[in-house]
PDB file of all heavy atoms in Angstrom:
ATOM      1  N   LYS Z  20      46.042 273.481 212.713  1.00 98.00           N
ATOM      2  CA  LYS Z  20      44.592 273.349 212.595  1.00 98.00           C
ATOM      3  C   LYS Z  20      43.910 274.711 212.724  1.00 98.00           C
ATOM      4  O   LYS Z  20      42.822 274.912 212.194  1.00 98.00           O
ATOM      5  CB  LYS Z  20      44.063 272.392 213.662  1.00 98.00           C
ATOM      6  CG  LYS Z  20      44.468 270.936 213.467  1.00 98.00           C
ATOM      7  CD  LYS Z  20      43.813 270.057 214.532  1.00 98.00           C
ATOM      8  CE  LYS Z  20      44.088 268.575 214.271  1.00 98.00           C
ATOM      9  NZ  LYS Z  20      45.525 268.265 214.353  1.00 98.00           N
ATOM     10  N   THR Z  21      44.525 275.634 213.472  1.00 98.00           N
ATOM     11  CA  THR Z  21      43.928 276.946 213.675  1.00 98.00           C
ATOM     12  C   THR Z  21      44.871 278.026 213.152  1.00 98.00           C
ATOM     13  O   THR Z  21      46.065 277.780 212.941  1.00 98.00           O
ATOM     14  CB  THR Z  21      43.656 277.208 215.163  1.00 98.00           C
ATOM     15  OG1 THR Z  21      44.915 277.314 215.853  1.00 98.00           O
ATOM     16  CG2 THR Z  21      42.834 276.080 215.772  1.00 98.00           C
ATOM     17  N   TYR Z  22      44.329 279.222 212.973  1.00 98.00           N
ATOM     18  CA  TYR Z  22      45.180 280.326 212.535  1.00 98.00           C
ATOM     19  C   TYR Z  22      46.157 280.740 213.628  1.00 98.00           C
ATOM     20  O   TYR Z  22      47.255 281.220 213.334  1.00 98.00           O
ATOM     21  CB  TYR Z  22      44.313 281.514 212.081  1.00 98.00           C
ATOM     22  CG  TYR Z  22      43.701 281.260 210.731  1.00 98.00           C
ATOM     23  CD1 TYR Z  22      42.334 281.036 210.588  1.00 98.00           C
ATOM     24  CD2 TYR Z  22      44.504 281.203 209.588  1.00 98.00           C
ATOM     25  CE1 TYR Z  22      41.782 280.772 209.349  1.00 98.00           C
ATOM     26  CE2 TYR Z  22      43.955 280.933 208.349  1.00 98.00           C
ATOM     27  CZ  TYR Z  22      42.598 280.718 208.229  1.00 98.00           C
ATOM     28  OH  TYR Z  22      42.053 280.442 207.001  1.00 98.00           O
ATOM     29  N   GLU Z  23      45.780 280.532 214.875  1.00 98.00           N
ATOM     30  CA  GLU Z  23      46.708 280.807 215.961  1.00 98.00           C
ATOM     31  C   GLU Z  23      47.909 279.870 215.894  1.00 98.00           C
ATOM     32  O   GLU Z  23      49.068 280.303 216.078  1.00 98.00           O
ATOM     33  CB  GLU Z  23      45.992 280.674 217.303  1.00 98.00           C
ATOM     34  CG  GLU Z  23      44.993 281.776 217.609  1.00 98.00           C
ATOM     35  CD  GLU Z  23      43.636 281.617 216.906  1.00 98.00           C
ATOM     36  OE1 GLU Z  23      43.459 280.613 216.187  1.00 98.00           O
ATOM     37  OE2 GLU Z  23      42.778 282.485 217.079  1.00 98.00           O
ATOM     38  N   GLU Z  24      47.674 278.599 215.593  1.00 98.00           N
ATOM     39  CA  GLU Z  24      48.773 277.651 215.417  1.00 98.00           C
ATOM     40  C   GLU Z  24      49.606 278.007 214.189  1.00 98.00           C
ATOM     41  O   GLU Z  24      50.839 277.886 214.206  1.00 98.00           O
ATOM     42  CB  GLU Z  24      48.227 276.230 215.283  1.00 98.00           C
ATOM     43  CG  GLU Z  24      47.609 275.668 216.555  1.00 98.00           C
ATOM     44  CD  GLU Z  24      46.983 274.297 216.344  1.00 98.00           C
ATOM     45  OE1 GLU Z  24      47.029 273.782 215.194  1.00 98.00           O
ATOM     46  OE2 GLU Z  24      46.442 273.735 217.317  1.00 98.00           O
ATOM     47  N   LEU Z  25      48.945 278.455 213.141  1.00 98.00           N
ATOM     48  CA  LEU Z  25      49.666 278.866 211.937  1.00 98.00           C
ATOM     49  C   LEU Z  25      50.604 280.035 212.241  1.00 98.00           C
ATOM     50  O   LEU Z  25      51.753 280.058 211.773  1.00 98.00           O
ATOM     51  CB  LEU Z  25      48.675 279.246 210.842  1.00 98.00           C
ATOM     52  CG  LEU Z  25      49.257 279.756 209.523  1.00 98.00           C
ATOM     53  CD1 LEU Z  25      50.145 278.709 208.873  1.00 98.00           C
ATOM     54  CD2 LEU Z  25      48.155 280.173 208.555  1.00 98.00           C
ATOM     55  N   ASP Z  26      50.134 280.981 213.035  1.00 98.00           N
ATOM     56  CA  ASP Z  26      50.977 282.115 213.419  1.00 98.00           C
ATOM     57  C   ASP Z  26      52.215 281.642 214.177  1.00 98.00           C
ATOM     58  O   ASP Z  26      53.337 282.112 213.925  1.00 98.00           O
ATOM     59  CB  ASP Z  26      50.185 283.095 214.275  1.00 98.00           C
ATOM     60  CG  ASP Z  26      49.111 283.841 213.490  1.00 98.00           C
ATOM     61  OD1 ASP Z  26      49.218 283.874 212.255  1.00 98.00           O
ATOM     62  OD2 ASP Z  26      48.177 284.369 214.120  1.00 98.00           O
ATOM     63  N   GLU Z  27      52.022 280.729 215.113  1.00 98.00           N
ATOM     64  CA  GLU Z  27      53.150 280.201 215.889  1.00 98.00           C
ATOM     65  C   GLU Z  27      54.132 279.463 214.983  1.00 98.00           C
ATOM     66  O   GLU Z  27      55.352 279.584 215.140  1.00 98.00           O
ATOM     67  CB  GLU Z  27      52.634 279.268 216.990  1.00 98.00           C
ATOM     68  CG  GLU Z  27      51.815 279.959 218.072  1.00 98.00           C
ATOM     69  CD  GLU Z  27      51.211 278.973 219.058  1.00 98.00           C
ATOM     70  OE1 GLU Z  27      51.469 277.749 218.910  1.00 98.00           O
ATOM     71  OE2 GLU Z  27      50.476 279.415 219.967  1.00 98.00           O
ATOM     72  N   ASP Z  28      53.592 278.707 214.021  1.00 98.00           N
ATOM     73  CA  ASP Z  28      54.460 277.959 213.103  1.00 98.00           C
ATOM     74  C   ASP Z  28      55.274 278.913 212.231  1.00 98.00           C
ATOM     75  O   ASP Z  28      56.446 278.647 211.930  1.00 98.00           O
ATOM     76  CB  ASP Z  28      53.624 277.029 212.226  1.00 98.00           C
ATOM     77  CG  ASP Z  28      53.029 275.862 213.001  1.00 98.00           C
ATOM     78  OD1 ASP Z  28      53.471 275.626 214.144  1.00 98.00           O
ATOM     79  OD2 ASP Z  28      52.115 275.202 212.472  1.00 98.00           O
ATOM     80  N   CYS Z  29      54.655 280.015 211.812  1.00 98.00           N
ATOM     81  CA  CYS Z  29      55.385 280.977 210.981  1.00 98.00           C
ATOM     82  C   CYS Z  29      56.575 281.563 211.739  1.00 98.00           C
ATOM     83  O   CYS Z  29      57.640 281.804 211.146  1.00 98.00           O
ATOM     84  CB  CYS Z  29      54.446 282.095 210.524  1.00 98.00           C
ATOM     85  SG  CYS Z  29      53.304 281.586 209.209  1.00 98.00           S
ATOM     86  N   ASP Z  30      56.410 281.785 213.039  1.00 98.00           N
ATOM     87  CA  ASP Z  30      57.519 282.297 213.842  1.00 98.00           C
ATOM     88  C   ASP Z  30      58.669 281.296 213.908  1.00 98.00           C
ATOM     89  O   ASP Z  30      59.837 281.679 214.009  1.00 98.00           O
ATOM     90  CB  ASP Z  30      57.047 282.630 215.256  1.00 98.00           C
ATOM     91  CG  ASP Z  30      56.154 283.861 215.299  1.00 98.00           C
ATOM     92  OD1 ASP Z  30      56.217 284.668 214.345  1.00 98.00           O
ATOM     93  OD2 ASP Z  30      55.393 284.012 216.273  1.00 98.00           O
ATOM     94  N   LYS Z  31      58.344 280.016 213.853  1.00 98.00           N
ATOM     95  CA  LYS Z  31      59.371 278.972 213.889  1.00 98.00           C
ATOM     96  C   LYS Z  31      60.019 278.763 212.523  1.00 98.00           C
ATOM     97  O   LYS Z  31      61.179 278.365 212.435  1.00 98.00           O
ATOM     98  CB  LYS Z  31      58.757 277.653 214.365  1.00 98.00           C
ATOM     99  CG  LYS Z  31      58.216 277.681 215.781  1.00 98.00           C
ATOM    100  CD  LYS Z  31      57.516 276.362 216.119  1.00 98.00           C
ATOM    101  CE  LYS Z  31      56.898 276.401 217.517  1.00 98.00           C
ATOM    102  NZ  LYS Z  31      56.173 275.143 217.824  1.00 98.00           N
ATOM    103  N   LEU Z  32      59.278 279.031 211.477  1.00 98.00           N
ATOM    104  CA  LEU Z  32      59.742 278.712 210.123  1.00 98.00           C
ATOM    105  C   LEU Z  32      60.498 279.855 209.447  1.00 98.00           C
ATOM    106  O   LEU Z  32      61.259 279.609 208.507  1.00 98.00           O
ATOM    107  CB  LEU Z  32      58.545 278.314 209.248  1.00 98.00           C
ATOM    108  CG  LEU Z  32      57.983 276.907 209.493  1.00 98.00           C
ATOM    109  CD1 LEU Z  32      56.547 276.795 209.001  1.00 98.00           C
ATOM    110  CD2 LEU Z  32      58.861 275.862 208.806  1.00 98.00           C
ATOM    111  N   ILE Z  33      60.298 281.073 209.897  1.00 98.00           N
ATOM    112  CA  ILE Z  33      60.940 282.183 209.211  1.00 98.00           C
ATOM    113  C   ILE Z  33      62.462 282.110 209.358  1.00 98.00           C
ATOM    114  O   ILE Z  33      62.985 281.770 210.421  1.00 98.00           O
ATOM    115  CB  ILE Z  33      60.411 283.543 209.718  1.00 98.00           C
ATOM    116  CG1 ILE Z  33      60.900 284.665 208.807  1.00 98.00           C
ATOM    117  CG2 ILE Z  33      60.790 283.779 211.183  1.00 98.00           C
ATOM    118  CD1 ILE Z  33      60.227 285.997 209.042  1.00 98.00           C
ATOM    119  N   LYS Z  34      63.141 282.401 208.256  1.00 97.00           N
ATOM    120  CA  LYS Z  34      64.602 282.465 208.260  1.00 97.00           C
ATOM    121  C   LYS Z  34      65.035 283.756 207.585  1.00 97.00           C
ATOM    122  O   LYS Z  34      64.408 284.208 206.631  1.00 97.00           O
ATOM    123  CB  LYS Z  34      65.207 281.267 207.510  1.00 97.00           C
ATOM    124  CG  LYS Z  34      65.068 279.943 208.229  1.00 97.00           C
ATOM    125  CD  LYS Z  34      65.781 278.834 207.453  1.00 97.00           C
ATOM    126  CE  LYS Z  34      65.677 277.491 208.167  1.00 97.00           C
ATOM    127  NZ  LYS Z  34      66.394 276.426 207.403  1.00 97.00           N
ATOM    128  N   ARG Z  35      66.122 284.341 208.101  1.00 96.00           N
ATOM    129  CA  ARG Z  35      66.675 285.561 207.534  1.00 96.00           C
ATOM    130  C   ARG Z  35      68.141 285.372 207.189  1.00 96.00           C
ATOM    131  O   ARG Z  35      68.854 284.584 207.843  1.00 96.00           O
ATOM    132  CB  ARG Z  35      66.511 286.728 208.505  1.00 96.00           C
ATOM    133  CG  ARG Z  35      65.059 287.104 208.798  1.00 96.00           C
ATOM    134  CD  ARG Z  35      64.981 288.239 209.801  1.00 96.00           C
ATOM    135  NE  ARG Z  35      63.611 288.594 210.147  1.00 96.00           N
ATOM    136  CZ  ARG Z  35      62.871 289.504 209.505  1.00 96.00           C
ATOM    137  NH1 ARG Z  35      63.396 290.149 208.468  1.00 96.00           N
ATOM    138  NH2 ARG Z  35      61.633 289.770 209.889  1.00 96.00           N
ATOM    139  N   ASP Z  36      68.581 286.073 206.192  1.00 95.00           N
ATOM    140  CA  ASP Z  36      69.993 286.077 205.840  1.00 95.00           C
ATOM    141  C   ASP Z  36      70.766 286.746 206.989  1.00 95.00           C
ATOM    142  O   ASP Z  36      70.485 287.894 207.333  1.00 95.00           O
ATOM    143  CB  ASP Z  36      70.201 286.854 204.544  1.00 95.00           C
ATOM    144  CG  ASP Z  36      71.616 286.783 204.022  1.00 95.00           C
ATOM    145  OD1 ASP Z  36      72.557 286.904 204.833  1.00 95.00           O
ATOM    146  OD2 ASP Z  36      71.791 286.620 202.794  1.00 95.00           O
ATOM    147  N   PRO Z  37      71.730 286.044 207.610  1.00 93.00           N
ATOM    148  CA  PRO Z  37      72.440 286.612 208.763  1.00 93.00           C
ATOM    149  C   PRO Z  37      73.227 287.875 208.429  1.00 93.00           C
ATOM    150  O   PRO Z  37      73.495 288.694 209.312  1.00 93.00           O
ATOM    151  CB  PRO Z  37      73.361 285.478 209.208  1.00 93.00           C
ATOM    152  CG  PRO Z  37      73.510 284.599 208.011  1.00 93.00           C
ATOM    153  CD  PRO Z  37      72.202 284.683 207.289  1.00 93.00           C
ATOM    154  N   ARG Z  38      73.558 288.065 207.158  1.00 94.00           N
ATOM    155  CA  ARG Z  38      74.326 289.254 206.776  1.00 94.00           C
ATOM    156  C   ARG Z  38      73.439 290.471 206.556  1.00 94.00           C
ATOM    157  O   ARG Z  38      73.774 291.583 206.952  1.00 94.00           O
ATOM    158  CB  ARG Z  38      75.135 288.974 205.507  1.00 94.00           C
ATOM    159  CG  ARG Z  38      76.180 287.861 205.638  1.00 94.00           C
ATOM    160  CD  ARG Z  38      76.688 287.465 204.265  1.00 94.00           C
ATOM    161  NE  ARG Z  38      75.590 286.999 203.417  1.00 94.00           N
ATOM    162  CZ  ARG Z  38      75.708 286.759 202.115  1.00 94.00           C
ATOM    163  NH1 ARG Z  38      76.851 286.998 201.492  1.00 94.00           N
ATOM    164  NH2 ARG Z  38      74.675 286.316 201.427  1.00 94.00           N
ATOM    165  N   THR Z  39      72.303 290.257 205.915  1.00 93.00           N
ATOM    166  CA  THR Z  39      71.439 291.387 205.537  1.00 93.00           C
ATOM    167  C   THR Z  39      70.146 291.470 206.354  1.00 93.00           C
ATOM    168  O   THR Z  39      69.457 292.485 206.303  1.00 93.00           O
ATOM    169  CB  THR Z  39      71.053 291.271 204.055  1.00 93.00           C
ATOM    170  OG1 THR Z  39      70.263 290.075 203.870  1.00 93.00           O
ATOM    171  CG2 THR Z  39      72.297 291.193 203.176  1.00 93.00           C
ATOM    172  N   ASN Z  40      69.837 290.400 207.055  1.00 91.00           N
ATOM    173  CA  ASN Z  40      68.580 290.284 207.809  1.00 91.00           C
ATOM    174  C   ASN Z  40      67.355 290.210 206.902  1.00 91.00           C
ATOM    175  O   ASN Z  40      66.228 290.313 207.361  1.00 91.00           O
ATOM    176  CB  ASN Z  40      68.410 291.443 208.799  1.00 91.00           C
ATOM    177  CG  ASN Z  40      67.465 291.077 209.935  1.00 91.00           C
ATOM    178  OD1 ASN Z  40      67.479 289.935 210.421  1.00 91.00           O
ATOM    179  ND2 ASN Z  40      66.644 292.014 210.364  1.00 91.00           N
ATOM    180  N   HIS Z  41      67.567 290.002 205.594  1.00 95.00           N
ATOM    181  CA  HIS Z  41      66.452 289.847 204.671  1.00 95.00           C
ATOM    182  C   HIS Z  41      65.821 288.466 204.827  1.00 95.00           C
ATOM    183  O   HIS Z  41      66.519 287.487 205.082  1.00 95.00           O
ATOM    184  CB  HIS Z  41      66.930 290.031 203.222  1.00 95.00           C
ATOM    185  CG  HIS Z  41      67.351 291.433 202.911  1.00 95.00           C
ATOM    186  ND1 HIS Z  41      68.087 291.761 201.789  1.00 95.00           N
ATOM    187  CD2 HIS Z  41      67.135 292.607 203.567  1.00 95.00           C
ATOM    188  CE1 HIS Z  41      68.317 293.050 201.769  1.00 95.00           C
ATOM    189  NE2 HIS Z  41      67.747 293.594 202.842  1.00 95.00           N
ATOM    190  N   ILE Z  42      64.523 288.416 204.650  1.00 97.00           N
ATOM    191  CA  ILE Z  42      63.809 287.143 204.746  1.00 97.00           C
ATOM    192  C   ILE Z  42      64.214 286.239 203.586  1.00 97.00           C
ATOM    193  O   ILE Z  42      64.221 286.657 202.423  1.00 97.00           O
ATOM    194  CB  ILE Z  42      62.284 287.370 204.730  1.00 97.00           C
ATOM    195  CG1 ILE Z  42      61.840 288.203 205.928  1.00 97.00           C
ATOM    196  CG2 ILE Z  42      61.542 286.027 204.722  1.00 97.00           C
ATOM    197  CD1 ILE Z  42      60.381 288.637 205.862  1.00 97.00           C
ATOM    198  N   ILE Z  43      64.537 284.990 203.887  1.00 97.00           N
ATOM    199  CA  ILE Z  43      64.866 284.012 202.848  1.00 97.00           C
ATOM    200  C   ILE Z  43      63.944 282.787 202.926  1.00 97.00           C
ATOM    201  O   ILE Z  43      63.972 281.936 202.033  1.00 97.00           O
ATOM    202  CB  ILE Z  43      66.344 283.568 202.932  1.00 97.00           C
ATOM    203  CG1 ILE Z  43      66.657 282.995 204.318  1.00 97.00           C
ATOM    204  CG2 ILE Z  43      67.267 284.726 202.590  1.00 97.00           C
ATOM    205  CD1 ILE Z  43      68.063 282.411 204.423  1.00 97.00           C
ATOM    206  N   GLN Z  44      63.142 282.706 203.979  1.00 98.00           N
ATOM    207  CA  GLN Z  44      62.173 281.608 204.102  1.00 98.00           C
ATOM    208  C   GLN Z  44      61.033 282.078 204.988  1.00 98.00           C
ATOM    209  O   GLN Z  44      61.233 282.772 205.964  1.00 98.00           O
ATOM    210  CB  GLN Z  44      62.832 280.368 204.718  1.00 98.00           C
ATOM    211  CG  GLN Z  44      61.856 279.211 204.963  1.00 98.00           C
ATOM    212  CD  GLN Z  44      62.505 278.013 205.610  1.00 98.00           C
ATOM    213  OE1 GLN Z  44      63.394 277.386 205.011  1.00 98.00           O
ATOM    214  NE2 GLN Z  44      62.102 277.683 206.835  1.00 98.00           N
ATOM    215  N   GLN Z  45      59.816 281.698 204.624  1.00 98.00           N
ATOM    216  CA  GLN Z  45      58.641 282.073 205.406  1.00 98.00           C
ATOM    217  C   GLN Z  45      57.731 280.859 205.533  1.00 98.00           C
ATOM    218  O   GLN Z  45      57.719 279.975 204.663  1.00 98.00           O
ATOM    219  CB  GLN Z  45      57.915 283.242 204.752  1.00 98.00           C
ATOM    220  CG  GLN Z  45      56.677 283.738 205.488  1.00 98.00           C
ATOM    221  CD  GLN Z  45      56.950 284.188 206.902  1.00 98.00           C
ATOM    222  OE1 GLN Z  45      57.121 283.345 207.801  1.00 98.00           O
ATOM    223  NE2 GLN Z  45      56.991 285.496 207.123  1.00 98.00           N
TER     224      GLN Z  45
END
């Protein structure tokens, strides 16, 4: 509902490739 909640959700949703550490999901 808020941008603060959106920021927290982004921290939960981000995924990185374990080999390269590149972002694969945001």
Side-chain angles (χ1 to χ4, degrees):
K20 291 184 174 63
T21 67
Y22 285 110
E23 289 79 1
E24 291 175 0
L25 178 60
D26 290 341
E27 294 174 2
D28 290 346
C29 285
D30 289 339
K31 297 175 183 178
L32 284 159
I33 191 168
K34 289 184 179 181
R35 296 178 182 270
D36 186 317
R38 298 167 301 171
T39 64
N40 203 38
H41 292 165
I42 298 171
I43 57 174
Q44 176 182 296
Q45 181 58 283

